[in-house]
Amino acid sequence: MRSHPSTRLFIIAIDGPSGAGKGTVARAVAASLGYRHVDTGAMYRALAWKAVHERLKLEDESALATLARRAVIEVSDGVVRVDGHDVKEAIRTAEIDKAAAAVARQPGVREVLIRQQREIGVGGGVVMEGRDIGTVVFPSADLKIYLDASPEERARRRATDPSHASGTGNAAVQDVASALAERDRSDSTRKASPLALAPDAVLIDTTGVPVDAVVQRVLALAARRR
Ligand code: DC
């Protein structure tokens, strides 16, 4: 940790829909502060990968919750492993996009993963990104950011994201846009901790804003809370 020993280690929550820039911004903010970066979406994706691999029914809450309890998921600082398998690339496909949204709807699954997320973040020194970090996982986070961007821009970013299998640049932006809209609907309308803006979160619209400007804004907000 690069932070001064007398400075308290913050929990920084970054929420928002897919393609809003959470991953890029969270990674850069964590690197700048010497904090850990935890991508909670990768936890839901890793679990979905395992469920697909084991041919579980994605509506079977009890089977999925049991799987969540026994699977060992590691997602700190760019590593994504489930039961020792490196799934970093395998979880970035259109199939897992859909499966992860289905798995994340299940309250029994969320209960297990939220508990793990709290254990990971409790000591601070963490930038945690997801959908419900500032609302449910850490309602008393030191800084809450909600990143958003226009649906067109989010679809364009996803379609040109080299880390995502649809991100070859050839994927029709229109196809990506409709899949994204469907996932947004699933994430925002589910009963268990839906994507929502916490009342005390700072909303940043990243449409047309360079990543570095967003990162500087978040760092300035963090510095002001010291
Ligand atoms: O951020 P992402 O696209 O990698 O997330 C994958 C799925 O998991 C997506 O459908 C939203 C869901 N998710 C969630 O419900 N809660 C979180 N804290 C993080 C992700």
Side-chain angles (χ1 to χ4, degrees):
M1 299 274 160
R2 237 173 289 147
S3 318
H4 188 275
S6 68
T7 40
R8 202 162 52 80
L9 296 174
F10 277 3
I11 296 174
I12 301 179
I14 303 193
D15 291 303
S18 318
K22 297 188 300 293
T24 316
V25 170
R27 209 170 304 117
V29 168
S32 172
L33 295 172
Y35 281 12
R36 281 168 303 147
H37 164 226
V38 178
D39 173 3
T40 62
M43 296 175 77
Y44 289 98
R45 286 174 179 274
L47 189 68
W49 179 89
K50 185 87 183 168
V52 168
H53 207 69
E54 298 201 353
R55 300 180 193 284
L56 296 186
K57 288 210 176 66
L58 299 181
E59 316 73 56
D60 186 342
E61 180 178 1
S62 138
L64 291 170
T66 303
L67 180 69
R69 275 191 293 273
R70 78 172 152 81
V72 178
I73 299 174
E74 300 160 78
V75 292
S76 221
D77 295 317
V79 169
V80 189
R81 273 195 290 260
V82 58
D83 292 337
H85 291 280
D86 179 351
V87 292
K88 188 175 171 164
E89 287 177 14
I91 59 168
R92 308 282 166 194
T93 65
E95 182 192 16
I96 301 298
D97 284 351
K98 275 181 92 172
V103 162
R105 292 183 76 82
Q106 304 295 349
V109 167
R110 301 200 72 86
E111 193 188 314
V112 177
L113 294 196
I114 288 170
R115 196 183 320 125
Q116 294 177 5
Q117 290 154 13
R118 288 182 178 145
E119 279 166 15
I120 295 170
V122 71
V126 69
V127 180
M128 194 171 279
E129 57 160 302
R131 301 292 187 289
D132 60 342
I133 309 306
T135 50
V136 174
V137 181
F138 286 113
S140 56
D142 301 280
L143 175 61
K144 300 181 188 179
I145 304 290
Y146 187 99
L147 294 184
D148 208 348
S150 69
E152 299 75 28
E153 173 125 354
R154 295 195 291 113
R156 195 183 49 71
R157 286 179 189 159
R158 173 44 59 85
T160 54
D161 178 355
S163 74
H164 198 277
S166 69
T168 58
N170 299 323
V173 176
Q174 199 46 52
D175 290 350
V176 174
S178 48
L180 212 69
E182 176 49 32
R183 282 209 296 144
D184 284 353
R185 197 197 53 71
S186 172
D187 293 340
S188 327
T189 59
R190 67 174 179 233
K191 286 212 182 73
S193 47
L195 170 65
L197 175 66
D200 52 349
V202 179
L203 171 64
I204 303 179
D205 185 341
T206 68
T207 312
V209 183
V211 170
D212 198 45
V214 180
V215 171
Q216 291 312 319
R217 171 106 193 268
V218 176
L219 289 171
L221 286 163
R224 245 187 274 149
R225 299 201 178 193
R226 295 222 164 272

